[in-house]
Amino acid sequence: MELLSLLAFGNDGWGDELLRGLSVTLLLAVATAPCAFILSFLIAWAKRARNPVLRGFGHGYTTIFRSLPELLTIVIIYYQLQSLLDFVVHLVAPSARISINAFGAGVIALTLVFSALGSEVVRAAYQA
């Protein structure tokens, strides 16, 4: 019975935090799915292209993003991409700063991972 009391809302339980986490997860899924869907088709097309550079890019993309754990991809995007963008913006406008919020980094990272997985599904469907 004590474990069920942890699902209570308010100061006594974690119910409100869990509900907030569920809403963020659903928003992340809704934002990521269309981008990953479109990118999946583009990567699958690149993997079937006659151009060896495009084909190499497609195979490299899927190899990298299928190999990396999703959490590591999120951390790399959140910290390193933000640092890289800040460096590039600083070269153009020294007083300007740029930052990526956690939700945006999550959308970018999960789009990259899910599009790599989806491109394999689309490629297999093309071959069938």
Side-chain angles (χ1 to χ4, degrees):
M1 198 60 163
E2 284 183 32
L3 291 177
L4 288 178
S5 67
L6 292 176
L7 296 176
F9 290 91
N11 293 335
D12 296 334
W14 293 89
D16 46 350
E17 285 85 3
L18 290 171
L19 195 59
R20 212 176 2 235
L22 176 66
S23 67
V24 170
T25 301
L26 292 175
L27 284 172
L28 194 59
V30 168
T32 301
C35 300
F37 183 75
I38 293 168
L39 197 55
S40 293
F41 278 94
L42 293 174
I43 297 300
W45 170 77
K47 289 171 76 171
R48 293 182 47 88
R50 292 184 184 188
N51 185 344
V53 174
L54 256 157
R55 197 169 50 245
F57 172 77
H59 286 293
Y61 180 89
T62 56
T63 300
I64 290 170
F65 287 111
R66 285 180 59 210
S67 301
L68 286 175
E70 288 87 356
L71 189 58
L72 180 61
T73 306
I74 291 170
V75 169
I76 289 171
I77 295 295
Y78 184 68
Y79 289 110
Q80 296 306 313
L81 182 65
Q82 181 168 320
S83 176
L84 181 67
L85 287 176
D86 196 34
F87 176 75
V88 170
V89 167
H90 185 68
L91 289 176
V92 175
S95 62
R97 306 264 323 158
I98 191 167
S99 68
I100 301 172
N101 66 0
F103 188 81
V107 169
I108 293 168
L110 292 177
T111 296
L112 295 173
V113 171
F114 293 149
S115 65
L117 297 170
S119 71
E120 289 295 312
V121 173
V122 172
R123 184 192 54 80
Y126 281 155
Q127 288 180 341

